[in-house]
Amino acid sequence: MTTIIPSMIHGGDIEEAMQLAIKAGYDAGKAEDWLDLSTGINPHPYPLPSIAPSHWHQLPQASHMNALLDAAARYYGAPSANHLVAAPGSALLIQMLPSLLNAKSVSIVSPTYGDHAAAWARNGQDINQIKTPHEGAADGITVLVNPNNPDGKTYDADTLKTLAARHSNAGGWLIVDEAFGDCEPNLTAAALTRDYNVIILKSVGKFFGLAGLRLGFAIARPDICARLSAYLGTWAVSGPALSLGRAALQDVDWQTKTRETLKAKSSVFNKLLQDNGLRICGHTDLFTLIEEDNADALFMRLLSHKIYVRRFDYNPHWLRIGLVDCDHNLNRLQKAVSSE
């Protein structure tokens, strides 16, 4: 099916949630009263280290960028630092790719994160919404999100390698958005960028809980990374982001413990939802997708309790609920979903 996606609803805007609450006749309170479960960002963020004043005062240094890329190459399993480019968020890279690649056709495994379709549509490209990545034209561009947002569907390494070879042999490209992939690092297709026409997108905001840092990466052939870097310019990533990003990517102990913590908390979280009669139709360790006939009513009920979750204009039966940070807020959510 060919379509153009005209708009995209994002989560994370508490001011929007407050306006929705006021419009519905609820007491919106203050922003700090709200529990934001609309983003899928790790509620246990990487602890902020001390950042040298020079990172705020000086222009970002090339040596600091090189150190960040070295750390990112090791963390993500990229072939080399030359296979990476850093940007102020993976969202910006999504917007840049349509200008970088000459697309005969664009197929997006759907439903998924809507910014992909919106970016290609703004570039004048019709979008083929496909159910499986094998349906995409080999000589075109296929975009998939792994794990998928919002349903958490995953693709293993063998599937990705087959897709990469198919596209490369025909002159096409495979784009894999791994924004939520840090909890399952074995799924990454980063190593495929050595031999195939593959572009991987990574986000520091999700797993590390540092969305405000605005730091992301593209992993691809060195010539593609050089072109992206030229588009971004000399100082695309701030000095503090270079410093903090490097520290987070090198902290193996924190990463290991955090994966264990998120998995355990996600299990408890999902049990709470199921115990309250909610139907889970997909999840990662950072969010859970539920499907309900009365999803809109549940959304409004949560809104009345100052809890903001993610809804979808293309599927009125879905709600995506981000992982809750503590027992107090878990109890708060439990009371809201069980109330009438």
Side-chain angles (χ1 to χ4, degrees), residues 5 73 80 85 103 106 268 287 323 325:
I5 308 299
S80 75
V85 61
V106 178
V268 172
F287 61 78
L323 186 65
D325 60 344

Side-chain angles (χ1 to χ4, degrees), residues 17-246:
M18 294 173 71
Q19 289 301 314
L20 289 172
I22 292 170
K23 186 176 180 180
Y26 304 139
D27 173 20
K30 297 174 291 185
E32 55 266 32
D33 298 332
W34 283 77
L35 177 59
D36 183 12
L37 303 179
S38 67
T39 66
I41 294 168
N42 184 355
H44 305 283
Y46 185 75
L48 299 179
S50 176
I51 297 177
S54 61
H55 289 298
W56 299 99
H57 177 64
Q58 297 176 347
L59 287 170
Q61 303 293 297
S63 60
H64 297 164
M65 172 62 82
N66 292 337
L68 173 69
L69 294 178
D70 285 339
R74 289 191 294 272
Y75 174 71
Y76 292 123
S80 75
N82 292 329
H83 287 76
L84 287 106
V85 61
S90 59
L92 177 60
L93 292 166
I94 290 173
Q95 308 307 315
M96 294 172 64
L97 290 180
S99 299
L100 182 76
L101 301 177
N102 183 21
K104 289 186 177 181
S105 66
V106 178
S107 300
I108 299 179
V109 183
S110 303
T112 194
Y113 181 55
D115 270 15
H116 288 287
W120 290 99
R122 280 192 294 270
N123 200 54
Q125 186 76 46
D126 284 348
I127 311 302
N128 302 309
Q129 290 188 328
I130 56 179
K131 292 184 178 180
T132 69
H134 303 284
E135 299 174 47
D139 61 351
I141 292 170
T142 294
V143 180
L144 64 86
V145 180
N146 190 38
N148 190 43
N149 174 16
D151 62 10
K153 180 178 174 57
T154 60
Y155 302 88
D156 61 28
D158 289 341
T159 297
L160 295 171
K161 185 173 182 179
T162 298
L163 290 167
R166 177 173 174 265
H167 281 283
S168 298
N169 291 338
W173 284 86
L174 176 66
I175 298 173
V176 186
D177 183 342
E178 297 181 356
F180 284 100
D182 298 66
C183 291
E184 300 183 72
N186 59 303
L187 294 176
T188 185
L192 297 177
T193 59
R194 182 191 302 276
D195 301 312
Y196 299 103
N197 292 352
V198 177
I199 298 175
I200 309 296
L201 300 176
K202 291 287 191 178
S203 169
V204 172
K206 306 297 191 302
F207 173 71
F208 291 96
L210 298 174
L213 189 67
R214 306 313 306 143
L215 180 62
F217 298 90
I219 308 174
R221 294 185 333 216
D223 62 307
I224 295 296
C225 289
R227 290 173 61 191
L228 282 170
S229 182
Y231 288 170
L232 287 163
T234 306
W235 301 301
V237 179
S238 71
L242 295 176
S243 175
L244 180 50
R246 179 187 179 190

